[in-house]
Structures are given as structure tokens and as C-alpha cells.
Amino acid sequence: QVQLVESGGGLVQAGGSLRLSCAASGRTFRSYAMGWFRQAPGKEREFVAAISWSGDSTYYADSVKGRFTISRDNAKNTVYLQMNSLKPDDTAVYYCAATTAGYNPYSWYRDPYGMDYWGKGTLVTVSS
């Protein structure tokens, strides 16, 4: 099992940057593939970014590619999402998630509710 706690959300102006963190605890953290998802008010959850357990492979939704960067530091049991050039459309609750099923960003993109473990989310608000 693993527990996930997100932090770093807040209010930022369009064009600004934020860095989200996800602190993980549990006996199998270093074996989990991880991802970031988001859910805007009144909309369904969507996939944002994925990273393999080693950090060697990453994948991004087209909407954030080139602006967001996912990374992880297994020594610190933490995964990050660096968000640059933020837009009002990025406003959402951002969730960190983990799975024991392996790194499969295509599946995560198709089913953004299928991860095994979820944090409670951190709110990002981008003003125009």
C-alpha cells in the first residue's frame, strides 16, 4: 500500500509557474509507476503526465506537452510536476496517483480513473 499527499497548489497569474509535489509513503513506493491527473470544475478527470518507477520514461497529454515536466526523486519518496506558462484552462484540482500495474500511459490516458492509489488533490487556480 502507499499513501500520497500533494502540495504546492495555489493562485497564479497566466504565464506564471508552479511546482507541485507529491510525498509518498509505503513499503513499495520505488516500484510504482506514477502519474498526475487533474479535474476542472464541472468536468471529468483527465490525464496530465506519467512517469515510470525509475524515472527513465515520461509521457504527457498534448495539452501540457512542452509546458509541464514530471520528475521523481525516489530517495525522497517524492514526485514533482513543474508547470510553466500556465493558462486559465489549467485551473483544476491536481491529483497524484500510483499503480501497481506497471507503466502504461496509453491506458492511463484512456481511463483516467483506473489508478490504484490517489492523493486528495491540490487546487491550482490560474487567473487571466
Side-chain angles (χ1 to χ4, degrees), residues 32-34 50-59 72 74 103 108:
Y32 284 107
M34 305 285 291
I51 190 166
S52 62
W53 76 268
S54 67
D56 291 336
S57 298
T58 59
Y59 186 79
R72 69 190 297 166
N74 288 343
Y103 180 70
W108 303 359

Side-chain angles (χ1 to χ4, degrees), residues 1 13-14 17-18 25 34-35 38 41-42 45 48 53-55 57 60 65 70 77 86 88 95 100 102 123 126:
Q1 305 291 326
Q13 295 184 113
S17 298
L18 283 175
S25 61
M34 305 285 291
R38 67 187 184 185
R45 189 166 299 181
V48 175
W53 76 268
S54 67
S57 298
Y60 300 90
K65 191 175 299 181
I70 188 171
N77 289 349
L86 284 162
Y95 298 92
T100 60
L123 177 63
V126 184

Side-chain angles (χ1 to χ4, degrees), residues 14-32:
S17 298
L18 283 175
R19 182 178 176 86
L20 305 183
S21 297
C22 175
S25 61
R27 64 183 185 275
T28 60
F29 173 75
R30 296 192 179 190
S31 296
Y32 284 107

Side-chain angles (χ1 to χ4, degrees), residues 9-18 83 86-88 90-91 123-128:
L11 176 65
V12 64
Q13 295 184 113
S17 298
L18 283 175
M83 306 185 295
L86 284 162
K87 306 174 181 179
D90 295 319
T91 295
L123 177 63
V124 172
T125 302
V126 184
S127 62
S128 60

Side-chain angles (χ1 to χ4, degrees), residues 36-96:
W36 286 96
F37 299 75
R38 67 187 184 185
Q39 190 161 15
K43 303 190 72 175
E44 294 187 18
R45 189 166 299 181
E46 65 176 338
F47 166 79
V48 175
I51 190 166
S52 62
W53 76 268
S54 67
D56 291 336
S57 298
T58 59
Y59 186 79
Y60 300 90
D62 287 342
S63 59
V64 306
K65 191 175 299 181
R67 300 188 298 120
F68 291 10
T69 303
I70 188 171
S71 62
R72 69 190 297 166
D73 185 342
N74 288 343
K76 297 181 178 179
N77 289 349
T78 303
V79 63
Y80 305 95
L81 185 68
Q82 178 66 46
M83 306 185 295
N84 298 327
S85 301
L86 284 162
K87 306 174 181 179
D89 285 350
D90 295 319
T91 295
V93 176
Y94 283 72
Y95 298 92
C96 177

